[in-house]
Each structure stands twice: as structure tokens, then as C-alpha cells.
């Protein structure tokens, strides 16, 4: 029985699924972190463990093609080394955003907006997927939770400096962090996820600063989507932790389509094309 | 003869000057770096060397008060330790921005805008100086060269992603850095000064992206100055590498006053108040 294998791997864990080409999932497996840019050997071991568990559940068979969507997969040299470590026929390693886009959009032309701690956008046209953005916290990640949280802290500091009006939310955030100096110190060592933890309280808040910050990022995301739509006006699928929020805000301006499947579904679909 | 001592110290070097209270400078000295947050012992040794050279040139005398304006002086514990290492009567350690403001504004009420690699603002009212901003590259430094340069790189990446129109300047910057992936890698390790090196080519450029980026920062600086002016509308003194540029852009909207003296003059003036 010829099988295809899909893997969705990131910094917190990895999941694998096995299916017949075009058929239903026959087995699933999960294991620990799979960030190839941080720990290639560990990632390879976890990916293998997840795949073996999925194959066991499927009752075994020959894996003809495997697609791995991995965070950090743009580290080309590491990806090439990982490819050599995996005994699964034709192995292709792509960015986790590619399998997320394939899973969410299925076979349809469309735009993906993945908005979580970071952000990335993708356009699928005639089955080909192109990624846009995802440049990371410092240089991009437009509309992401980390960018929203950082904007909240910046606004709080600006208010503390007398550069803008203080609002209840800004005062609350400064108070929680222990004042402006402590907020600056926090920001110096904070990771994107630490900033993103402030994002939820911005959403749907009627605090003047929250309205301004959220409005700016919604506008930013809308401008990006408009640029990516070009003339064809394909529908947009929003996923990630902030996906539902942006979908709600932008439903009046874009044709919003629900995600068809998961990133793991996307990896299996791409593996099916290879097989 | 009772003397006062002023020191202007930063990460690249320190300068000292000795004067009679309210009198002309009698001696000057210079030495290496004086960043107390990075190397307290080395900073103390360099500051002492600069002061001793200034005192030698002045022909000696009793130092009644000394004011040191130092980068990193907000590291309170280090400043207190340094104070104990210096044998100069009444020693006060302040931020380098405070002596810059005192030197530039003299005895007049006014606003200081210090715009270089970073940025900081100060308001002097009735002889008292209050600092605003200077929150660093990540959280503030509005209008600074580092923020301008980062905005240029961000715009170049956004253009590469199809989020905005590519312009000749953006294409040139991407080409110099070796493409979008290389630009992201550059940004991940770049220090503020590395971003600031891109700022000069934005100033007075008629490239559409440059006009937009510079316009946004000029607006940002104008909003800050307007907020700091409150109702009194004091004049503004622009200093730092980008000072003349912003002064030119904002001369129609603010009363612009030239700097009266240097940061070292400011340190001596503040020491004169202590003596």
C-alpha cells in the first residue's frame, strides 16, 4: 500500500499523519519540538518518532512521499541535512506557512492571512503557493499579536513621556509592569510571545489608545490584503489566534472564506501531489 | 582658587573641562570611553585621566563641585559607585542628555530636541530640566537616525513582498544588502548605529518611499514638540546629527533657537550651581 506522510512541526511540538494518496488519514502521531534551526538532531528524532507512531497506527506500508512543514525551514542547509536523515521516499521540507496555506485554502485560488504571535500571508493561484511577509517581529509581522502588544507598550511609554494622552488602559499596563523604566527593561528582553500576551486586551476594547492601535493594524492588514488581491479579488481565509478577530473586522471589505483544513491536511495534500 | 569640573562622557570617549565658577574654561582634557553600565572601572579611570589633564592645564586648584553627564547614567547603582571613586568635592552624575540640554538651552526656558542615532527631548522651565523620551531603539527614539533607517529597510521588505510599490531607493537598498532574506538577517544583528547609517540618503531625497518615511518622522517629532510646548510655546533648539535637518523642516511651525553651548558647557554650568 503506497502511503503519503505529512508533518507539521514547530518549536513546541510536531504532529505527523499518514494517508493513502487522496484518501482519508490512516494514522497519526505526535512528538516534541522540531525547530531545525535550533536543534537539528533533536528535531530529526522527534519527527521520526511522530512519523513512526503514525505509520504504526496506519498498519505500516511504503511511504512514497513526505512533506514536512517546519518552522525555521528557510534555514536551507539544515533542511537539506534533515532530508538526508529521513527514510521516506521523496521528502520535501517547506515552511510551516506553506502547509498552513495549503490546508486552509485547499485546491481553491485564494489568500491566506495567518495572524498569531507573528504573521504571514500567502497567495495560492493555480495550485502554486507564494508566501508574503513573515519577516519577523523587528522588520514585519504586520497585524500580529507581538506587534499589537509592542504598540501598546510604546503608547504607554509615550503617554508617560507626555507625548500623548494617558488612557486607563495605558496607565494599567504601566502599573502592571512597574512603571516606565521597568517597562523599557521588560521590552529589552521580551520575546515576541511576551509582547503578544498584551494583545487580547486590545481587541474590542473601547479605550482610546486600544482603538487607535487596533485600527492602525487592521488598516495595515487591509492594505496588505488589497495589494495581494491585485485585480482578481480572490477570497481571504484568516487563521491563527487573531484570525477570527481580523475576519470579523474585515468581513465587510473582503470575501472571507473559512479554512478548509489544518496545516497537517495541507502537508498531506502536498505529499499527494509528489506521490 | 575654587574650581568647578564638567565631564561629558559616552561610549566612544570622555571630555573634561575646568573653570572658575561662572568664569571661562581654564583647562581641558580628554580620554577613552566612559560607559559606566558596560565597564565601571574603565570608565572611572578614563574620567579621572581626562579630569587630571584638565586640572593640569588649569594650573591646579581645589575642585568644589563636579557634574558628570554620562551615557548610561540611569544605571543608578553604578553611578553611586562611580561617585565614591572620584575625589572632587560635591560630585553629581546625570544623564548625558541633561548636560546637553543645559548647554544648548543655557539659562533660558525652552525645549531641546536631540536627534542623532537615537533621540531624546528635554524641557527646561525655571532652570529645571525634565527629560522626555529616549526610550531606546525598540520602544522609542522617535525621529532618530536608527528609526529612519529601520523604516527604510522595512519599506524595502514590504515592497519585496508586494505590500507596497517598489521605488528606486528601496530596490537599491535591497540590492546592497543582497536581497530580502539577507536584509532580514542584517536586521536581526544590526545595532542602532547600523540602521542609522541608512538615514542620510533619506534626507532631502525625492524618492517616493523616502518622502513618506521622512514625512512620518517629521510629523512624529512635530507632535512630540507640540505636546511638550503645552500652552507656553517655548522655542525649540535642535541638536545632534539630524538636528539641522529637523530644524529646517520645522522652522515654519516652531520658534527655532540655536544652541548656546556644548554639553560640556552644560556640565560646567550645572557644576557652577552646585558650587
Amino acid at each position: 500500500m503506497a502511503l503519503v506522510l505529512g508533518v507539521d512541526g514547530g518549536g513546541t511540538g510536531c504532529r505527523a499523519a499518514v494517508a493513502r494518496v487522496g484518501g482519508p488519514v490512516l494514522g497519526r502521531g505526535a512528538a516534541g519540538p522540531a525547530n531545525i534551526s535550533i536543534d537539528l538532531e533533536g528535531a530529526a528524532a522527534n519527527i521520526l518518532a511522530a512519523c513512526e507512531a503514525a505509520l504504526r497506527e496506519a498498519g505500516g506500508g511504503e511511504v512514497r512521499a513526505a512533506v514536512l512543514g517546519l518552522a525555521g525551514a528557510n534555514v536551507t542547509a539544515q533542511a537539506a541535512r534533515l532530508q538526508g536523515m529521513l527514510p521516506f521516499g521523496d521528502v520535501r521540507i517547506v515552511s510551516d506557512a506553506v502547509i498552513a496555506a495549503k490546508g486552509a485554502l485547499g485546491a481553491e485560488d485564494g489568500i491566506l492571512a495567518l495572524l498569531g504571535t507573528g504573521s504571514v500571508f500567502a497567495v495560492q493561484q493555480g495550485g502554486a503557493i507564494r508566501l508574503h511577509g513573515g519577516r519577523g517581529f523587528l522588520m514585519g509581522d504586520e497585524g500580529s499579536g507581538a506587534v499589537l502588544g509592542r504598540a501598546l507598550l510604546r503608547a504607554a511609554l509615550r503617554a508617560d513621556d507626555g507625548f500623548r494622552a494617558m488612557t486607563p488602559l495605558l496607565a494599567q499596563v504601566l502599573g502592571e509592569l512597574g512603571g516606565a523604566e521597568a517597562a523599557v527593561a521588560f521590552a529589552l528582553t521580551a520575546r515576541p510571545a511576551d509582547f503578544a500576551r498584551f494583545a487580547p486586551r486590545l481587541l474590542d476594547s473601547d479605550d482610546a489608545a486600544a482603538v487607535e492601535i487596533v485600527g492602525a493594524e487592521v488598516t495595515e492588514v487591509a492594505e496588505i490584503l488589497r495589494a495581494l488581491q491585485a485585480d482578481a479579488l480572490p477570497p481571504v481565509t484568516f487563521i491563527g489566534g487573531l484570525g477570527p478577530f481580523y475576519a470579523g473586522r474585515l468581513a465587510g471589505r473582503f470575501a472571507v472564506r473559512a479554512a478548509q483544513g489544518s496545516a497537517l491536511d495541507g502537508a498531506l495534500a502536498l505529499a499527494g501531489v509528489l506521490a
Side-chain angles (χ1 to χ4, degrees), chain A:
Chain A
M1 188 172 63
L3 300 173
V4 289
L5 190 58
V7 174
D8 177 16
T12 55
C14 66
R15 297 178 305 141
V18 168
R20 265 192 297 270
V21 177
V25 172
L26 301 174
R28 293 177 183 277
N35 190 317
I36 59 172
S37 65
I38 291 175
D39 176 11
L40 180 64
E41 310 289 330
N46 285 328
I47 288 166
L48 269 175
C51 291
E52 280 161 8
L55 281 166
R56 262 198 310 278
E57 192 178 301
E62 182 219 346
V63 176
R64 193 173 292 170
V67 168
L68 288 64
L70 302 180
N74 53 351
V75 186
T76 320
Q78 305 289 77
R81 285 182 57 200
L82 176 63
Q83 229 159 356
M85 296 176 180
L86 301 175
F88 300 130
D90 191 354
V91 176
R92 201 199 296 180
I93 298 169
V94 298
S95 155
D96 51 348
V98 167
I99 61 168
K102 190 67 196 172
L105 301 177
E108 311 285 325
D109 282 359
I111 295 177
L112 178 83
L114 194 172
L115 294 145
T117 299
S119 79
V120 65
F121 301 84
V123 176
Q124 178 165 252
Q125 200 166 17
I129 292 168
R130 257 196 71 186
L131 297 183
H132 300 260
R135 299 302 190 178
F137 178 55
L138 184 65
M139 299 307 288
D141 281 9
E142 293 83 357
S144 68
V147 165
L148 282 167
R150 182 179 60 195
L152 177 60
L153 263 62
R154 278 186 181 160
L157 288 171
R158 287 173 60 84
D160 186 73
D161 274 319
F163 295 170
R164 60 169 293 152
M166 186 62 78
T167 71
L169 176 61
L170 298 180
Q172 185 194 12
V173 166
L174 279 176
E176 282 171 25
L177 290 171
E181 293 297 330
V184 171
F186 167 86
L188 281 178
T189 60
R191 295 156 307 151
D194 299 322
F195 286 103
R197 272 193 281 280
F198 288 94
R201 66 178 89 182
L202 288 168
L203 312 178
D204 303 315
S205 163
D206 60 2
D207 182 273
V211 169
E212 186 188 316
I213 291 164
V214 168
E217 290 305 314
V218 168
T219 298
E220 181 96 302
V221 169
E223 281 173 6
I224 287 171
L225 294 175
R226 195 65 77 200
L228 294 180
Q229 277 197 323
D231 301 326
L233 302 181
V236 181
T237 300
F238 293 89
I239 63 172
L242 295 174
F245 173 76
Y246 281 99
R249 285 295 181 97
L250 293 170
R253 295 155 75 181
F254 297 91
V256 174
R257 190 162 56 192
Q260 296 196 17
S262 69
L264 204 47
D265 295 329
L268 281 174
L270 289 169
V273 175
L274 288 185

